[in-house]
């Protein structure tokens, strides 16, 4: 995306950053912004929250909700992607070939990015470990998101009210149904003193 790269370069020139930290380029920003940062020798950090860099569907989940074994081949990823996006396109050999080549290149760029980025972090050791099967990090670190949970752990003497919070997109992966079930259970406890 030439226009996005020009805007990014304009921001770099204006702010002259000492470091650039990419949290999420997911479906919005091109991978080239990271390579642009790295090529200008600006210390570059990436925080991983999901599998976007190695899975075009983001979460490395099969259609049945089970964990995918990862990008073992571009053809496998193409089959998975096209099955969920467009069953008609899956049978078009030209489209299949084109998407497959695109996914090969995508993984190559991801490998380059992570081998050159100064630091790759994630709040999840599991996410880091999954990535390490397909890319090499120059340096990696598990860093918690920094949410203060101490207030949650304080014991309350009375239950005058219950607060539920949810941060994340509403998807089976985020266990929204579990939150709803917990809410229903907690309301029954309060109502019936169970």
């Amino acid at each position: 995306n030439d226009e996005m790269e020009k805007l990014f370069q304009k921001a770099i020139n204006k702010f002259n950053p000492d470091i650039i930290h990419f949290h999420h380029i997911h479906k919005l920003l091109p991978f080239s912004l990271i390579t642009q940062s790295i090529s200008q020798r600006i210390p570059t950090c990436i925080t991983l929250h999901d599998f976007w860099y190695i899975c075009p569907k983001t979460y490395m989940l099969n259609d049945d909700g089970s964990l995918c074994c990862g990008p073992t081949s571009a053809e496998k990823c193409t089959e998975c992607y096209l099955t969920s996006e467009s069953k008609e396109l899956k049978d078009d050999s030209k489209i299949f070939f084109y998407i497959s080549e695109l996914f090969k290149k995508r993984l190559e760029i991801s490998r380059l990015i992570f081998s050159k980025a100064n630091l790759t972090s994630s709040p999840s050791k599991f996410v880091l470990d999954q990535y390490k099967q397909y890319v090499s990090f120059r340096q990696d670190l598990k860093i918690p998101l920094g949410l203060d949970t101490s207030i949650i752990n304080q014991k309350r003497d009375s239950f005058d009210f219950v607060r539920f919070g949810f941060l994340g997109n509403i998807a089976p992966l985020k266990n929204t149904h579990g939150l709803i079930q917990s809410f229903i259970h907690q309301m029954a406890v309060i109502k019936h003193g169970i």
Side-chain angles (χ1 to χ4, degrees):
N1 187 326
D2 292 339
E3 188 176 340
M4 190 66 75
E5 289 173 13
K6 286 175 188 169
L7 289 170
F8 185 59
Q9 188 59 53
K10 201 173 188 179
I12 289 173
N13 294 342
K14 182 176 181 178
F15 295 108
N16 191 26
D18 294 320
I19 188 169
I20 297 179
H21 186 180
F22 292 91
H23 258 275
H24 227 323
I25 65 167
H26 183 256
K27 296 184 182 180
L28 295 174
L29 303 173
F31 283 25
S32 60
L33 299 189
I34 300 174
T35 58
Q36 196 173 347
S37 175
I38 291 168
S39 69
Q40 293 181 51
R41 301 188 188 282
I42 300 168
T44 303
C45 300
I46 303 168
T47 295
L48 302 172
H49 296 280
D50 52 40
F51 301 107
W52 173 243
Y53 296 94
I54 60 174
C55 174
K57 287 176 50 179
T58 308
Y59 300 116
M60 255 176 50
L61 292 175
N62 296 312
D63 284 343
D64 66 359
S66 62
L67 187 64
C68 170
C69 63
T72 54
S73 77
E75 293 76 21
K76 176 184 145 294
C77 292
T78 303
E79 176 87 21
C80 175
Y81 181 79
L82 289 176
T83 297
S84 64
E85 294 296 317
S86 171
K87 291 181 173 53
E88 299 83 39
L89 292 178
K90 189 177 86 166
D91 296 329
D92 184 324
S93 61
K94 287 182 184 176
I95 295 286
F96 192 92
F97 175 78
Y98 173 76
I99 300 287
S100 182
E101 289 300 307
L102 183 66
F103 287 170
K104 278 181 197 171
K105 187 68 174 168
R106 187 179 193 276
L107 189 57
E108 287 172 17
I109 293 169
S110 290
R111 287 181 172 137
L112 174 70
I113 286 170
F114 290 112
S115 70
K116 302 287 184 187
N118 297 76
L119 175 67
T120 303
S121 68
S122 176
S124 164
K125 181 180 181 314
F126 175 77
V127 170
L128 285 172
D129 289 345
Q130 291 298 309
Y131 267 89
K132 286 177 185 177
Q133 295 180 50
Y134 306 100
V135 302
S136 297
F137 299 130
R138 186 168 164 192
Q139 182 178 359
D140 65 272
L141 190 60
K142 179 186 172 290
I143 302 175
L145 285 176
L147 300 175
D148 181 7
T149 59
S150 62
I151 194 166
I152 296 169
N153 296 327
Q154 293 175 357
K155 187 171 175 128
R156 292 189 190 179
D157 293 332
S158 100
F159 287 94
D160 294 337
F161 61 90
V162 176
R163 292 183 190 170
F164 277 83
F166 178 78
L167 299 173
N169 49 346
I170 297 175
L173 161 78
K174 300 292 184 176
N175 197 20
T176 313
H177 60 286
L179 176 67
I180 293 167
Q181 290 300 317
S182 296
F183 178 79
I184 291 167
H185 174 75
Q186 189 62 39
M187 296 312 296
V189 167
I190 292 169
K191 184 176 180 182
H192 302 294
I194 299 173

